[in-house]
Amino acid sequence: MRVTLASANPDKAAEIVEIVTPLGLDVEPRPPGLADVDETDDSLDGNARLKAMAVAVAANAPALADDTGLEVDALDGAPGVRTARYAGEHATYADNVEKLLAALRDVPDARRTARFRTVAMVCWPDGREVLAEGVVAGRIADAARGDRGFGYDPVFIPDEGDGRTFAEMSDAEKHALSHRGRALRALAGKLG
Amino acid sequence: MRVTLASANPDKAAEIVEIVTPLGLDVEPRPPGLADVDETDDSLDGNARLKAMAVAVAANAPALADDTGLEVDALDGAPGVRTARYAGEHATYADNVEKLLAALRDVPDARRTARFRTVAMVCWPDGREVLAEGVVAGRIADAARGDRGFGYDPVFIPDEGDGRTFAEMSDAEKHALSHRGRALRALAGKLG
């Protein structure tokens, strides 16, 4: 099956292509010249739907989007739906990580539990959709470690791993455990 | 490593033994004659800790407990920490499932999203602990399907599966995806 990618984030787009291509999804790049879609919804699936539907209509083809939230227990679930723009609308990955580490500065290791959650969705121009979610539990490291991946990868230590952050893992190791890997494999299975 | 099982639920105990024995954890049964531990905490890790610590002290040995919550989005995260006693203190699995299906009677398929979350923990008599969490996303079926597993398995369809409920899967298929499988494998890795 062929889908048009709705994500405008090149790191995320590269990761999506890497995960879904072996699953038989043929990914077309996002059409050039499309305006960014404002993520105005208060839920991950609402924002994924906004992005996928906008691109599906513009491209007149099924479009694939995801939205990801990092839910930190000690912050009552924040940054959550604001994960990508935690430190402001034009925040860099480093800004977001810095803000998170500062917010957790006095929180001991046992209370740094968190979850990464991704909703992945394909929408068709006629309004149909297929959706799947992937989750991984872990904790927030005391300091950034590793130079792979992107976003909060340097400070997220998955419980199902061996103590390394996502940014210290190879892409294959990360995708096997990650929220996005799980969501996209589940989505591909439902489309299959 | 040898651990004493804190769970008093025979279905859960059997599942824990099945998952962790191949991981090198040698599980001793819960000591006979211990009073049940009241799950009075408002968090999964708090309740797992209460159970594990009580048995660790009684047995003077490291003890393994888990606590599991089913978080249904359309019910604002309920039954959550009350999952095992959703329909009352002495509710059967069937009572709980029936109450859940009734609560979701008018909720369409797209809004029946949910997550199963398990916190698994080993506590030592001296207060040390190691903890891990496993999560799986899915949705609540319209009606119970399948006769394997226990609890809410007949109405939980994991997104990473093929449309079957947990109760329609073999034990191995379920454990590969399930909240409890993920939590216990992660815990065994941390103990390793």
Side-chain angles (χ1 to χ4, degrees):
Chain A
M1 178 179 168
R2 176 168 295 204
V3 293
T4 301
L5 200 59
S7 183
N9 175 326
D11 291 315
K12 204 198 262 195
E15 194 165 292
I16 291 173
V17 169
E18 191 172 307
I19 296 170
V20 304
T21 303
L23 301 173
L25 283 183
D26 189 8
V27 181
E28 298 279 312
R30 178 184 162 92
L34 285 188
D36 274 3
V37 176
D38 284 339
E39 301 188 5
T40 52
D41 203 273
D42 62 357
S43 69
L44 298 180
D45 61 300
N47 283 321
R49 187 174 293 113
L50 285 172
K51 291 184 276 188
M53 193 53 76
V55 171
V57 168
N60 196 28
L64 168 65
D66 82 17
D67 202 37
T68 292
L70 175 64
E71 299 167 349
V72 179
D73 291 326
L75 304 176
D76 292 324
V81 74
R82 294 192 50 80
T83 292
R85 48 194 191 286
Y86 182 43
E89 281 305 322
H90 301 285
T92 64
Y93 300 145
D95 294 338
N96 285 331
V97 165
E98 187 182 350
K99 179 170 175 177
L100 180 65
L101 290 175
L104 296 176
R105 188 169 293 134
D106 299 321
V107 177
D109 189 53
R111 293 191 48 246
R112 299 173 78 93
T113 50
R115 259 148 258 105
F116 252 133
R117 193 155 73 83
T118 290
V119 173
M121 191 181 311
V122 170
C123 290
W124 281 259
D126 63 8
R128 274 182 306 142
E129 66 178 46
V130 174
L131 166 162
E133 181 181 315
V135 197
V136 61
R139 60 188 63 209
I140 305 301
D142 289 333
R145 295 203 314 259
D147 54 11
R148 305 187 60 96
F150 65 96
Y152 297 82
D153 285 348
V155 291
F156 190 85
I157 305 169
D159 276 2
E160 296 171 64
D162 57 6
R164 284 177 295 164
T165 67
F166 272 148
E168 293 178 304
M169 296 184 182
S170 72
D171 292 347
E173 288 173 316
K174 176 187 163 191
H175 300 337
L177 290 180
S178 80
H179 48 303
R180 187 168 288 113
R182 288 175 169 171
L184 290 168
R185 285 190 295 274
L187 181 66
K190 291 185 174 198
L191 294 168
Chain B
M1 178 180 168
R2 177 168 296 205
V3 293
T4 300
L5 200 58
S7 183
N9 174 326
D11 292 315
K12 204 197 259 194
E15 193 164 293
I16 291 173
V17 170
E18 190 173 309
I19 295 169
V20 303
T21 303
L23 301 174
L25 282 184
D26 190 8
V27 181
E28 296 281 312
R30 177 183 164 91
L34 284 190
D36 273 4
V37 176
D38 284 339
E39 301 188 7
T40 52
D41 204 271
D42 63 356
S43 69
L44 298 180
D45 62 298
N47 283 321
R49 187 174 294 113
L50 285 173
K51 291 184 277 187
M53 192 53 77
V55 171
V57 168
N60 196 27
L64 168 65
D66 82 17
D67 201 38
T68 293
L70 175 63
E71 300 167 348
V72 180
D73 291 325
L75 304 175
D76 292 324
V81 75
R82 292 191 50 80
T83 291
R85 50 195 190 285
Y86 181 42
E89 281 305 322
H90 301 286
T92 64
Y93 300 146
D95 294 338
N96 285 331
V97 165
E98 188 182 351
K99 179 170 175 177
L100 180 64
L101 290 177
L104 296 176
R105 188 169 291 134
D106 298 321
V107 177
D109 188 54
R111 294 190 48 245
R112 299 174 78 94
T113 50
R115 257 147 259 105
F116 251 133
R117 193 154 72 83
T118 290
V119 173
M121 191 180 312
V122 170
C123 289
W124 281 259
D126 64 7
R128 274 182 305 141
E129 66 177 46
V130 174
L131 166 163
E133 180 182 316
V135 197
V136 61
R139 60 188 63 209
I140 306 301
D142 290 332
R145 294 202 317 257
D147 54 12
R148 302 186 64 95
F150 64 97
Y152 297 82
D153 285 349
V155 291
F156 189 85
I157 305 169
D159 275 4
E160 295 172 64
D162 57 5
R164 284 178 296 163
T165 67
F166 272 148
E168 294 179 303
M169 296 183 181
S170 72
D171 291 349
E173 287 173 318
K174 176 187 163 189
H175 299 337
L177 289 180
S178 81
H179 46 304
R180 186 168 290 112
R182 287 174 171 172
L184 290 168
R185 285 190 296 274
L187 181 66
K190 290 185 175 199
L191 295 168

